[in-house]
Amino acid sequence: MATVEAGSTITSRLKNLLRSPSIKLRRHKPGARKEDIGSKVTLEKVLGITVSAGRSLSCDPKTGLVAYPAGCVVVLLNPRKNKQHHILNSSRKTITALAFSPDGKFLVTGESGHMPAVRVWDVAERTQVAELQEHKYGVACVAFSPSSKYIVSVGYQHDMIVNVWSWKKNVVVAANKVSSKVTAVSFSEDSSYFVTAGNRHVKFWYLDEAKSSKVNSTIPLLGRSGLLGELRNNFFTDVACGKGKKASSTFCITSSGLLCEFNDRRLLDKWVELRCSLSFQTTVASCIIVNQEYIFCGCADGTVRIFNPNNLHFLSTMPKPHRLGVDIATVTEASRLFSNAADAKYPDTVGMTFDSTNQWLSCVYNDHSLYVWDIKDLKKVGKVYSALYHSSCVWSAEVYPETKDSNQACLPPNSFITCSSDSTIRLWNMETSNIHGTALHRNILSNDLMKIILIDNNTQALLDTDCNCTGLADKVDVQTLDAKVGIRSVCVSPNGQHLASGDRTGTLRVHELQSLRELLKVEAHDSEILCLEYSKPETGMNLLASASRDRLINVLDASKDYSLQQTLDDHSSSITAVKFAANDGKMRMISCGADKSIYFRTAEQTGEGSVHFTRTHHIVRKTTLYDMDVDPSLKYAAIGCQDRNIRIFNISSGKQKKLYKGSQSEDGTLIKVQTDPSGLYIATSSSDKNLSIFDFYTGECVATMFGHSEIVTGMKFTNDCKHLISVSGDSCIFIWRLSSEMTINMRQRLAEMRQRVKVGEKCTPHKTTNTSFCCRRETIAVMCPVPALSSDSDKEGVDEGSDEDMTGKKLRSF
């Protein structure tokens, strides 16, 4: 008996080895293989920014590269060429502050989370060269000394500590406690002292280099408070030490809108009013930049004031960015950008950095937009670069489908759509040369964004209320936050003509993509709409299903003005996914939810011509089911589960055929699953913020990625099999480039599928007893190399059965 078992095991291993497309990977050593799967997918572009204040924006003084955080990634932007490079923080902690060294060779970052580190990176190699750990909760701001010998890091308010690092030795040379909330730090030009600013706090810290270099242990850092006088109760939002002739002065701004100058005796010598309008967050001024010629003060309502550092005389006001709610598709000329409407509202300036070589001022606004202004001539300020991004959690992404007739396409190739809590739906394109057509012209505000659909014209929802360096975010009116509608899900019809969206209040909208006209707005649910799904053409029907937290599924007929066909109430908790499929000559609907149930339904056509779904199978598992996708063969449904497993079910029988791990980690849960267009791979996102790609057949992990600082809420493979798009709660969109090996495998599989479709096209339509379908898809399902499954258990394992297609060629098996 033992001999038989041993023999069958060896046979199984040989079969699996021969069938696996990743046989080369298995020859590598374990360490080499791990490194390989980590480099299979690379981050190509980031569409997002998470700058919350001036401390998280910096410019390389030598090359002009602009550095800013996007989740756990530092984006190094070349504004002139519109090129990005990326530094990925392997700790998966959110980057809160950063600064370039004076020579531009190094970049220091601070992060938030448990036991955060101050990290130093080699900019050219984009590799970590130092890791400094002393803070407990988070790093509020970091700065290099002008000599590059020291780094200052200030912790969050609960850390109550200021550290001075001799970073090359990885030691704290001086430290002291600080009781106030500190939001900014700036070094003097001669490195003899630095200044911190915050809530009722301006403090001068003196660094005795001779003493600190002789002592091996940490010495107390000597600090003296600034003499604030009658301004002692102000919140000092940012600080900058003077340059050149004003090197002995220190400049600060207050949240109430005052520009202050401290003299060399720490005395508040003079101040002037910025005269800015009051913003939504009651913060009038938030950031300051000082050089020998100018003082730039970033203020509310998109205002940047410029003053003379020698006498604090007002010089000029910078142009404002786009107004909130602008139709960016109409901004095709600079004159349209600078035409200020009387009642226009603008986003607040929250961060700035200055490139003294090119005379470029980079500004970040609290709607997560970035502008680079050319200020060589203050009377003719020009825009070098700009980008607009989502300002809060991105919930879903959809790739625009390929259409047989390009003239019928509403969007150019390589377009995709995202929706967000900022109450917008945004239309993007990965190749700027593709942006054309009558409805979507090239605009001058963004190289990637084609159109913003603002729901209910709620411009206040466009602002990030957390971009508040004064610490007043917890005082923001809760009712104002609730005013955000928040778009929770989107779906594009297979013909590319309609865009359906569902919001957090349960309202379903349908837009016609050619003109972006709203066709339908109906209160379809009592709670947020978690998922939407159009039926595919091969089903013979044109249906839209909407599923909600209210436990209901509404089925609408898109070909009959979205008339309601049926409401299904089988689930007892939130419905996390709903999908359509057509196989065995029948139309199916599969849904799963937080009640741990999976329902398989079959469509029947009534005498009146409407569609009615009846339950055929009901499966209950011991774990919550968070997401589902149907493979291209329409034979299997893959479900991502709370226990980090992917469970694969046969749609016709409702039986579980396969189970394998969907995460490399032992922590967290699976949030999203997504198959590629060919069905070879399946991508997963986990609550530990990691992404993985698995071989759909073997369950072998072929690639891992990280970079988002919040959970990944949506993923989509592009039609050309070159990229994976991921969106996250950190407001960022990441575009990942897949390895050439993966792209080739997928395209080869798609070519085989198309070849088999040609064979299937010889078939003629036929009718079932209930409704009409074409057998073309059935032929594909039979002839494509899809896995043959027979294991019904909830255990991991490999079924050794194999099927044969019509040509006698053996199909790959799970």
Side-chain angles (χ1 to χ4, degrees):
M1 187 69 180
T3 308
V4 174
E5 287 182 0
S8 62
T9 304
I10 293 170
T11 305
S12 303
R13 289 177 179 173
L14 286 171
K15 285 183 179 180
N16 290 337
L17 192 64
L18 290 171
R19 288 170 180 160
S20 173
S22 307
I23 187 169
K24 293 180 181 179
L25 292 178
R26 297 183 179 183
R27 290 175 180 169
H28 294 176
K29 296 178 181 178
R33 181 180 174 276
K34 186 176 181 181
E35 184 181 351
D36 190 40
I37 65 171
S39 59
K40 278 268 189 174
V41 179
T42 55
L43 183 58
E44 184 172 281
K45 182 173 264 190
V46 174
L47 301 175
I49 189 168
T50 53
V51 170
S52 58
R55 60 185 177 269
S56 47
L57 186 68
S58 187
C59 179
D60 183 343
K62 303 297 182 183
T63 64
L65 285 178
V66 177
Y68 58 84
C72 300
V73 174
V74 176
V75 178
L76 302 172
L77 172 70
N78 184 328
R80 192 190 300 275
K81 296 182 179 180
N82 185 23
K83 291 286 181 67
Q84 290 184 1
H85 294 289
H86 308 101
I87 296 174
L88 277 69
N89 186 8
S90 57
S91 73
R92 276 74 161 173
K93 291 185 172 68
T94 305
I95 294 172
T96 55
L98 54 82
F100 275 104
S101 62
D103 59 7
K105 292 182 179 180
F106 300 102
L107 182 81
V108 59
T109 60
E111 59 194 30
S112 62
H114 179 64
M115 298 305 292
V118 175
R119 302 177 191 275
V120 184
W121 308 84
D122 184 300
V123 175
E125 299 294 328
R126 299 192 288 279
T127 56
Q128 181 177 300
V129 294
E131 180 178 346
L132 318 170
Q133 280 191 317
E134 281 293 328
H135 297 282
K136 293 182 179 179
Y137 303 105
V139 181
C141 36
V142 291
F144 273 99
S145 66
S147 63
S148 294
K149 184 176 180 180
Y150 299 109
I151 287 173
V152 170
S153 62
V154 184
Y156 279 7
Q157 187 171 5
H158 296 296
D159 266 11
M160 297 191 302
I161 195 163
V162 179
N163 288 325
V164 179
W165 301 86
S166 176
W167 65 274
K168 291 183 179 178
K169 298 178 181 178
N170 196 6
V171 294
V172 179
V173 295
N176 211 328
K177 289 193 173 183
V178 57
S179 56
S180 302
K181 178 182 177 71
V182 175
T183 58
V185 62
S186 178
F187 254 101
S188 66
E189 201 169 41
D190 62 358
S191 297
S192 63
Y193 67 92
F194 61 92
V195 186
T196 56
N199 187 21
R200 296 189 292 182
H201 168 94
V202 175
K203 199 159 188 174
F204 293 73
W205 304 90
Y206 298 93
L207 191 61
D208 189 341
E209 285 201 49
K211 187 176 180 180
S212 60
S213 60
K214 292 177 182 178
V215 180
N216 292 328
S217 60
T218 303
I219 62 172
L221 184 61
L222 178 63
R224 293 284 184 266
S225 295
L227 305 176
L228 305 178
E230 61 185 270
L231 298 184
R232 60 184 176 275
N233 290 324
N234 273 263
F235 195 114
F236 295 87
T237 54
D238 204 357
V239 61
C241 292
K243 308 290 183 184
K245 295 179 181 178
K246 302 294 289 185
S248 60
S249 296
T250 301
F251 301 92
C252 290
I253 54 171
T254 70
S255 62
S256 57
L258 299 177
L259 169 60
C260 310
E261 180 181 350
F262 292 82
N263 61 22
D264 56 355
R265 299 187 302 276
R266 309 190 321 278
L267 177 66
L268 181 54
D269 195 21
K270 63 182 81 166
W271 66 87
V272 297
E273 291 186 3
L274 296 174
R275 299 186 183 278
C276 299
S277 61
L278 195 67
S279 80
F280 163 67
Q281 297 173 344
T282 71
T283 304
V284 174
S286 57
C287 49
I288 186 171
I289 295 288
V290 175
N291 62 18
Q292 295 187 32
E293 297 179 88
Y294 305 118
I295 300 175
F296 301 97
C297 300
C299 309
D301 204 37
T303 303
V304 176
R305 303 279 195 218
I306 306 176
F307 294 84
N308 187 329
N310 297 313
N311 51 24
L312 297 191
H313 285 179
F314 172 75
L315 295 178
S316 180
T317 299
M318 291 279 293
K320 292 189 177 184
H322 60 283
R323 63 179 176 84
L324 292 174
V326 68
D327 182 359
I328 67 165
T330 64
V331 186
T332 56
E333 299 174 355
S335 58
R336 297 295 298 270
L337 175 62
F338 299 123
S339 58
N340 296 333
D343 59 344
K345 295 181 180 179
Y346 298 89
D348 297 346
T349 313
V350 295
M352 298 185 300
T353 187
F354 187 65
D355 175 6
S356 56
T357 304
N358 292 308
Q359 295 286 293
W360 289 353
L361 180 70
S362 300
C363 300
V364 172
Y365 304 89
N366 70 339
D367 67 340
H368 287 213
S369 59
L370 168 65
Y371 279 70
V372 180
W373 303 99
D374 187 335
I375 62 151
K376 291 186 183 70
D377 184 351
L378 290 183
K379 295 180 181 179
K380 295 180 180 179
V381 175
K383 184 179 73 68
V384 179
Y385 174 89
S386 62
L388 281 69
Y389 302 123
H390 282 293
S391 61
S392 55
C393 174
V394 187
W395 279 113
S396 181
E398 284 290 319
V399 172
Y400 188 74
E402 291 180 319
T403 54
K404 292 182 179 179
D405 185 359
S406 59
N407 295 323
Q408 296 297 316
C410 301
L411 300 181
N414 296 312
S415 296
F416 65 95
I417 300 166
T418 57
C419 67
S420 168
S421 293
D422 63 12
S423 295
T424 66
I425 302 170
R426 306 199 182 206
L427 281 56
W428 308 83
N429 191 269
M430 296 168 64
E431 297 179 19
T432 53
S433 60
N434 283 337
I435 301 179
H436 59 79
T438 56
L440 298 170
H441 299 279
R442 182 189 299 274
N443 66 82
I444 65 168
L445 292 179
S446 174
N447 292 305
D448 308 288
L449 187 59
M450 298 184 292
K451 180 76 176 180
I452 301 175
I453 303 174
L454 178 60
I455 302 300
D456 289 343
N457 294 318
N458 182 13
T459 57
Q460 206 63 59
L462 294 168
L463 303 178
D464 181 0
T465 54
D466 291 331
C467 282
N468 192 345
C469 59
T470 64
L472 298 176
D474 54 343
K475 298 180 182 178
V476 173
D477 189 357
V478 176
Q479 290 182 348
T480 308
L481 297 181
D482 285 342
K484 285 189 176 184
V485 174
I487 308 303
R488 188 63 173 76
S489 53
V490 290
C491 190
V492 183
S493 62
N495 61 6
Q497 298 299 309
H498 290 178
L499 170 67
S501 63
D503 67 25
R504 65 188 291 262
T505 66
T507 302
L508 173 66
R509 294 174 177 84
V510 178
H511 285 82
E512 195 272 317
L513 274 174
Q514 190 67 46
S515 62
L516 299 175
R517 179 172 56 94
E518 188 175 274
L519 299 176
L520 176 73
K521 180 182 177 181
V522 59
E523 295 179 5
H525 295 274
D526 295 331
S527 186
E528 61 181 330
I529 298 175
L530 297 177
C531 46
L532 294 165
E533 176 75 1
Y534 274 101
S535 61
K536 301 297 186 289
E538 56 267 13
T539 62
M541 299 182 186
N542 189 8
L543 303 178
L544 172 66
S546 65
S548 167
R549 196 177 295 279
D550 67 4
R551 309 184 301 277
L552 300 179
I553 300 175
N554 287 325
V555 182
L556 302 97
D557 192 335
S559 62
K560 298 179 180 178
D561 297 326
Y562 291 91
S563 60
L564 181 64
Q565 299 291 298
Q566 188 179 7
T567 297
L568 300 161
D569 60 356
D570 299 328
H571 286 278
S572 60
S573 188
S574 301
I575 300 163
T576 53
V578 59
K579 297 290 180 182
F580 289 110
N583 62 14
D584 296 338
K586 298 177 181 179
M587 177 164 179
R588 317 276 191 178
M589 178 198 286
I590 315 101
S591 63
C592 64
D595 57 2
K596 306 176 183 178
S597 292
I598 313 160
Y599 287 94
F600 296 85
R601 305 175 183 88
T602 303
E604 296 180 357
Q605 202 164 31
T606 64
E608 301 174 354
S610 60
V611 178
H612 183 79
F613 283 92
T614 56
R615 186 196 311 176
T616 51
H617 304 287
H618 175 208
I619 311 297
V620 180
R621 284 292 173 255
K622 296 179 181 180
T623 182
T624 303
L625 313 170
Y626 280 117
D627 194 28
M628 170 178 57
D629 199 16
V630 173
D631 81 313
S633 73
L634 304 182
K635 189 174 182 181
Y636 299 110
I639 299 180
C641 306
Q642 187 178 23
D643 61 3
R644 297 180 299 281
N645 286 318
I646 298 174
R647 288 173 168 82
I648 298 178
F649 291 84
N650 184 294
I651 294 174
S652 298
S653 66
K655 293 182 178 181
Q656 180 174 310
K657 297 298 183 183
K658 179 71 176 176
L659 177 146
Y660 51 78
K661 285 289 182 183
S663 171
Q664 293 288 88
S665 170
E666 294 302 319
D667 299 318
T669 63
L670 284 191
I671 302 297
K672 289 290 176 180
V673 293
Q674 182 68 41
T675 58
D676 76 272
S678 71
L680 277 180
Y681 303 106
I682 182 167
T684 67
S685 73
S686 177
S687 59
D688 63 4
K689 308 171 193 175
N690 290 327
L691 294 94
S692 303
I693 300 178
F694 294 86
D695 187 303
F696 187 79
Y697 300 106
T698 65
E700 179 187 11
C701 184
V702 296
T704 59
M705 305 90 80
F706 67 89
H708 287 290
S709 61
E710 301 290 343
I711 61 169
V712 174
T713 51
M715 299 176 297
K716 282 289 177 181
F717 286 91
T718 55
N719 297 321
D720 60 7
C721 302
K722 288 183 178 180
H723 298 93
L724 175 70
I725 300 167
S726 64
V727 298
S728 166
D730 59 16
S731 81
C732 296
I733 303 165
F734 284 8
I735 299 176
W736 305 89
R737 175 168 283 277
L738 306 175
S739 68
S740 56
E741 177 190 352
M742 295 174 67
T743 298
I744 290 169
N745 289 342
M746 287 186 278
R747 287 183 171 180
Q748 185 177 357
R749 171 74 183 276
L750 283 170
E752 293 172 0
M753 292 170 69
R754 293 190 187 102
Q755 187 64 34
R756 288 172 170 80
V757 166
K758 292 180 181 179
V759 177
E761 284 174 348
K762 297 178 181 179
C763 302
T764 57
H766 68 279
K767 288 188 177 182
T768 65
T769 54
N770 297 323
T771 186
S772 173
F773 295 95
C774 175
C775 71
R776 173 181 167 187
R777 172 56 61 180
E778 296 173 59
T779 307
I780 298 171
V782 171
M783 299 189 67
C784 286
V786 298
L789 309 175
S790 62
S791 174
D792 299 335
S793 66
D794 201 5
K795 299 178 181 178
E796 295 189 50
V798 179
D799 172 49
E800 294 306 323
S802 63
D803 292 347
E804 292 190 358
D805 64 14
M806 290 181 173
T807 61
K809 179 182 177 181
K810 286 193 175 182
L811 304 182
R812 291 182 58 195
S813 168
F814 267 104

